[in-house]
């Protein structure tokens, strides 16, 4: 079997570039990059000021992708995101004016502040890479990535993302607060001009498309596939879960694991890759029973419980 040639230098250059503006966040940056390489979209949920927007901007700049930011608010309309048809008196025709979604990386900032109607405007774009307006389909540029943010603490004036919308995000990640040492380094680095202004691309959109194709060819053995399917099934069977991970979750988990393996310089997926990707891929897809909340259980905790209980395959793709 011919395995995909790994390119760890690709990962190192991007991780080092993002680290110039985001101190001590290599793990979450690697997972976000894995999501992009797997062709997915990323939801960042964390408190204000933890670097969610900076991660999205730095990743887009490093990848050489066009970047647009849309601040989601209750009065935002679907056409403000996707674009609208405008009547041209000189030609007596309607002309489509593309919205900010026609870009490489769209930052949907505070996505849960927009109404469900506006949130749903992203569904077709995220699932199919296109926008349909007035019966006409307009393809989005490739690659295309949505990075959305939301604040888990403040709920006033917000609209909870429905399960169908959450399921379109391959990963939900938390940036987290820096350690005291990292915060001291950050203060020193950002005392003068912010380094984001000097950040330059370290790859190209064409190279990213090639990398995405290489990730899809990373080998996954039958035992590892069974392990992935077993994890999703275990979330569905958990007594505190009303809605667990479906087939899309299994596909996402396989894709994210392939990306992590490729970033690590391997041409095959191991159970460790699956375990690293599982919390970010599965937790946001779980709907918990009321009893779970009363017991203080979280979706992340249930995923951890499933990971501990599921038998790990001994044989991996290295021996395939």
């Amino acid at each position: 079997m011919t395995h995909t040639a790994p390119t760890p230098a690709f990962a190192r250059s991007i991780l080092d570039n993002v680290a110039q503006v985001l101190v001590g966040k290599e793990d979450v940056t690697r997972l976000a990059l894995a999501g992009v390489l797997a062709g997915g979209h990323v939801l960042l949920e964390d408190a204000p000021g933890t670097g969610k927007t900076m991660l999205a901007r730095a990743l887009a700049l490093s990848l050489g992708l066009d970047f647009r930011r849309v601040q989601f608010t209750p009065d935002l309309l679907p056409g403000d995101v996707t674009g609208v048809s405008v009547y041209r008196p000189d030609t007596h025709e309607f002309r489509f004016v593309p919205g900010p979604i026609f870009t490489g990386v769209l930052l949907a900032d505070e996505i849960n502040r927009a109404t469900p109607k506006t949130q749903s405007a992203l569904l077709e774009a995220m699932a199919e890479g296109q926008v349909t307006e007035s019966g006409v389909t307009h393809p989005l540029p490739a690659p295309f990535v949505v990075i959305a943010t939301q604040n888990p603490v403040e709920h006033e004036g917000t609209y909870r993302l429905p399960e169908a919308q959450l399921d379109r995000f391959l990963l939900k990640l938390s940036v987290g607060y820096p350690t005291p040492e990292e915060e001291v380094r950050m203060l020193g680095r950002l005392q003068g001009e912010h380094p984001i202004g000097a950040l330059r691309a370290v790859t190209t959109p064409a190279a990213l498309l090639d990398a995405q194709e290489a990730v899809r060819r990373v080998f996954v053995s039958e035992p590892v596939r069974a392990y992935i399917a077993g994890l999703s099934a275990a979330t569905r069977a958990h007594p505190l879960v009303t809605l667990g991970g479906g087939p899309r979750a299994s596909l996402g988990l396989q894709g994210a694991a392939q990306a992590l393996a490729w970033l690590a310089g391997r041409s095959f997926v191991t159970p460790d890759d699956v375990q690293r990707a599982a919390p970010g891929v599965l937790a946001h897809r779980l709907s918990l029973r009321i009893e779970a909340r009363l017991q203080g259980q979280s979706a992340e905790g249930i995923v951890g419980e499933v990971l501990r209980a599921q038998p790990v395959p001994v044989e991996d793709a290295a021996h395939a």
Side-chain angles (χ1 to χ4, degrees):
M1 179 175 293
T2 302
H3 287 174
T4 304
T7 313
F10 180 96
R12 191 72 266 156
S13 61
I14 294 171
L15 293 173
D16 289 346
N17 210 44
V18 173
Q20 295 182 48
V21 298
L22 206 63
V23 178
K25 298 301 176 185
E26 181 168 317
D27 287 346
V28 68
T29 303
R30 183 181 291 272
L31 282 168
L33 178 57
V36 173
L37 287 170
H41 308 284
V42 180
L43 177 63
L44 301 175
E45 184 179 79
D46 219 324
T50 51
K52 302 185 296 294
T53 300
M54 199 54 59
L55 172 58
R57 288 183 62 191
L59 200 54
L61 285 168
S62 300
L63 295 169
L65 299 175
D66 291 334
F67 175 82
R68 299 277 187 90
R69 174 182 178 179
V70 176
Q71 189 69 41
F72 276 55
T73 55
D75 60 348
L76 191 73
L77 299 175
D80 296 331
V81 180
T82 60
V84 294
S85 291
V86 177
Y87 181 71
R88 296 291 301 273
D90 53 339
T91 61
H92 303 288
E93 293 178 339
F94 283 91
R95 181 173 65 88
F96 179 67
V97 179
I101 202 170
F102 287 82
T103 186
V105 174
L106 175 73
L107 174 60
D109 216 358
E110 294 187 294
I111 188 173
N112 56 331
R113 288 199 177 280
T115 61
K117 184 176 182 180
T118 301
Q119 291 177 15
S120 66
L122 292 173
L123 280 174
E124 182 186 12
M126 294 171 68
E128 302 174 39
Q130 64 184 32
V131 167
T132 302
E133 204 277 339
S134 299
V136 180
T137 297
H138 306 273
L140 292 166
F144 168 71
V145 183
V146 173
I147 300 180
T149 71
Q150 64 177 7
N151 179 354
V153 179
E154 187 178 350
H155 300 292
E156 184 177 348
T158 63
Y159 301 84
R160 182 178 177 272
L161 267 67
E163 281 72 16
Q165 184 85 48
L166 284 170
D167 198 38
R168 297 298 180 183
F169 288 100
L170 174 60
L171 291 162
K172 188 179 85 165
L173 305 173
S174 173
V175 177
Y177 288 111
T179 64
E181 295 78 12
E182 290 167 350
E183 197 159 0
V184 169
R185 284 166 49 205
M186 179 196 71
L187 291 171
R189 187 173 297 179
L190 304 184
Q191 183 175 349
E193 185 179 355
H194 200 292
I196 192 73
L199 211 62
R200 297 291 178 264
V202 293
T203 187
T204 64
L208 176 57
L209 288 173
D210 289 342
Q212 289 177 334
E213 177 60 32
V215 164
R216 285 190 287 270
R217 295 196 300 269
V218 170
F219 180 71
V220 186
S221 69
E222 283 300 320
V224 171
R225 284 200 182 102
Y227 182 52
I228 290 170
L231 289 172
S232 290
T235 65
R236 299 193 290 269
H238 196 282
L240 294 179
V241 173
T242 58
L243 182 66
R248 186 180 288 125
S250 298
L251 285 169
L253 186 51
Q254 176 172 271
Q258 286 176 295
L260 286 173
W262 190 82
L263 289 171
R266 279 182 282 101
S267 57
F268 57 90
V269 172
T270 69
D272 283 346
D273 299 317
V274 178
Q275 291 166 5
R276 290 189 188 97
V281 173
L282 294 176
H284 66 287
R285 291 179 160 95
L286 306 187
S287 293
L288 306 187
R289 297 185 183 277
I290 295 175
E291 295 90 336
R293 296 183 178 86
L294 293 175
Q295 295 175 23
Q297 271 279 25
S298 66
E300 290 78 11
I302 288 174
V303 171
E305 184 182 321
V306 165
L307 284 169
R308 289 188 294 274
Q310 194 72 10
V312 179
V314 176
E315 294 296 323
D316 60 41
H319 305 109

